[in-house]
Amino acid sequence: MKQSYWCYIPIVIILILGFVFGFYLTFGIKFLNTFASLQLEAKNILMLFGMGLFGASTYCAKAWSADIYEVVYEHPNFMPHFLDFIGYITLMIGGGITGVILFFIIKTGMGISATTNGEIQLTVEASVIIAYIGGLYHFKVQSQLGKMIDNMFKNKAEKK
């Protein structure tokens, strides 16, 4: 497959779209009342997804700048190819999903540890920060969740 600096163009477009959609979903829903016909729960999920997407876009921008530095200054033979942008897209979508999941995990953990009726009300700001962290540290969150699940099944297998 042909490699060229021109293959950075779709990556730049994807990065810009990731920031725009993440910003639009998060701040548009909160302050511009976009998707007004949706129920509050659906709006909150979209807002959290948008912030996770925004966090993953931040991660991708950092990775992209490191990639460019490596190609230009260290290893000019490692030029990008046309399909590189697909990796960026999947990482951003995964970051959005991870942001939502991390929010629910934290909210559930707080609900379990609460001594009241178990209903936890996080502020919008706290929710958005949790989702952003989930998107920004997408791979680390995935890794930790995988370890938790492995330990759960390992303990069940040991008890049998």
Side-chain angles (χ1 to χ4, degrees):
M1 185 170 294
K2 186 173 178 169
Q3 296 176 308
S4 166
Y5 284 117
W6 291 104
C7 295
Y8 278 127
I9 291 174
I11 294 172
V12 171
I13 291 169
I14 293 304
L15 287 173
I16 291 170
L17 288 175
F19 282 114
V20 167
F21 283 127
F23 187 84
Y24 180 74
L25 286 174
T26 304
F27 298 102
I29 288 172
K30 176 68 178 163
F31 298 110
L32 302 176
N33 200 24
T34 55
F35 302 111
S37 62
L38 293 178
Q39 293 181 352
L40 181 62
E41 294 83 14
K43 284 179 164 182
N44 288 339
I45 298 281
L46 278 175
M47 196 168 65
L48 294 171
F49 177 82
M51 202 57 180
L53 179 68
F54 200 82
S57 298
T58 305
Y59 176 85
C60 285
K62 181 181 175 188
W64 177 66
S65 65
D67 182 48
I68 288 178
Y69 179 84
E70 183 180 14
V71 167
V72 171
Y73 295 109
E74 294 177 358
H75 304 288
N77 297 340
F78 295 151
M79 299 282 282
H81 57 82
F82 180 71
L83 297 178
D84 280 353
F85 78 97
I86 294 172
Y88 285 88
I89 290 172
T90 56
L91 194 145
M92 288 180 196
I93 292 170
I97 293 168
T98 303
V100 173
I101 290 171
L102 181 63
F103 166 77
F104 282 127
I105 288 171
I106 290 174
K107 186 175 177 183
T108 302
M110 291 172 64
I112 290 171
S113 66
T115 57
T116 61
N117 64 356
E119 181 66 29
I120 299 297
Q121 295 295 327
L122 292 172
T123 63
V124 172
E125 293 82 8
S127 304
V128 165
I129 288 170
I130 291 168
Y132 179 78
I133 290 169
L136 185 63
Y137 294 105
H138 170 66
F139 292 120
K140 290 181 181 182
V141 170
Q142 262 187 342
S143 176
Q144 290 296 5
L145 290 176
K147 288 176 187 176
M148 286 172 41
I149 292 170
D150 287 344
N151 285 335
M152 284 175 23
F153 288 121
K154 181 179 170 185
N155 291 338
K156 286 183 180 181
E158 288 174 357
K159 290 180 182 180
K160 287 184 178 181

